[in-house]
């Protein structure tokens, strides 16, 4: 593992959040289904909140001001492991969009867990662990929504 400074790690995290926002907005702009568009818009807004927290940490050099209320890590339903559509198209249904979003959030969780491992034993480890939990919570929220939709359709 290569060495990385806290500032570099936070800048990587900021870049990851920007890419997530851009991805969600591109997906939002191409979708026709209004329900799917609303879900994706909400996810994009959550990425903006993450960006603001990270920008503040970079600006101040402090992470103690970041207060995440998330303390509960609900169980993974495993839906994010399902096969994803090969091509994103404008006529995708809500289920496909939710599966893509779940996978995206799960990848973000893994990203933050790896950063936490790199900074194990340092104060910032807790920040990255909380970000991983935040991303897992988003994934689980999407999974539950997906489960509700699939259950209601069957």
């Amino acid at each position: 593992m290569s060495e990385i400074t806290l500032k570099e790690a936070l800048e990587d995290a900021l870049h990851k959040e920007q890419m997530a926002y851009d991805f969600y907005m591109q997906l939002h702009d191409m979708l026709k289904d209004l329900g799917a568009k609303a879900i994706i818009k909400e996810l994009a807004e959550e990425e903006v909140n993450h960006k603001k927290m990270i920008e503040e940490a970079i600006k101040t050099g402090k992470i103690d001001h970041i207060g995440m209320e998330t303390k509960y890590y609900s169980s993974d339903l495993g839906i994010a492991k399902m096969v994803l559509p090969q091509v994103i198209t404008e006529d995708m249904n809500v289920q496909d969009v939710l599966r893509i979003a779940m996978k995206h959030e799960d990848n973000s969780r893994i990203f933050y867990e790896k950063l936490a491992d790199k900074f194990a034993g340092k104060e910032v480890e807790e920040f990255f662990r909380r970000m991983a939990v935040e991303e897992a919570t988003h994934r689980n929220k999407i999974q539950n929504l997906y489960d509700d939709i699939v259950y209601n359709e069957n």
Side-chain angles (χ1 to χ4, degrees), residues 4-14 54 111-112 115 119 124 128:
I4 183 172
T5 66
L6 173 56
K7 184 176 182 197
E8 290 169 334
L10 289 171
E11 287 170 350
D12 284 350
L14 183 61
I54 295 167
F111 170 79
Y112 284 115
L115 281 178
F119 288 92
V124 72
F128 290 128

Side-chain angles (χ1 to χ4, degrees), residues 81-98:
K81 295 176 180 86
M82 295 174 69
V83 176
L84 296 176
Q86 293 294 319
V87 178
I88 297 173
T89 62
E90 65 182 23
D91 59 344
M92 290 176 69
N93 63 31
V94 173
Q95 288 180 7
D96 287 338
V97 169
L98 290 176

Side-chain angles (χ1 to χ4, degrees), residues 110-124:
I110 292 166
F111 170 79
Y112 284 115
E113 286 175 351
K114 287 181 179 180
L115 281 178
D117 290 344
K118 276 191 177 230
F119 288 92
K122 297 185 169 84
E123 180 184 13
V124 72

Side-chain angles (χ1 to χ4, degrees), residues 23-85:
F23 169 76
Y24 283 138
M25 290 311 296
Q26 287 174 344
L27 190 57
H28 175 271
D29 292 345
M30 71 183 300
L31 292 171
K32 291 180 182 177
D33 184 289
L34 295 179
K37 285 176 85 79
I39 292 164
I40 293 302
K41 181 75 171 179
E42 183 178 326
L43 290 170
E45 290 168 2
E46 289 177 4
E47 303 303 340
V48 169
N49 291 335
H50 291 169
K51 280 179 45 185
K52 287 177 183 176
M53 287 188 295
I54 295 167
E55 287 170 340
E56 183 68 17
I58 291 170
K59 180 178 161 187
T60 64
K62 298 178 184 176
I63 57 164
D64 57 346
H65 69 282
I66 299 171
M68 293 201 186
E69 308 80 40
T70 306
K71 292 186 174 145
Y72 177 68
Y73 193 112
S74 61
S75 61
D76 181 359
L77 299 176
I79 299 169
K81 295 176 180 86
M82 295 174 69
V83 176
L84 296 176

Side-chain angles (χ1 to χ4, degrees), residues 136-147:
T137 302
H138 293 168
R139 180 206 58 215
N140 293 344
K141 179 177 163 185
I142 299 164
Q143 285 182 140
N144 290 331
L145 182 58
Y146 181 94
D147 191 47

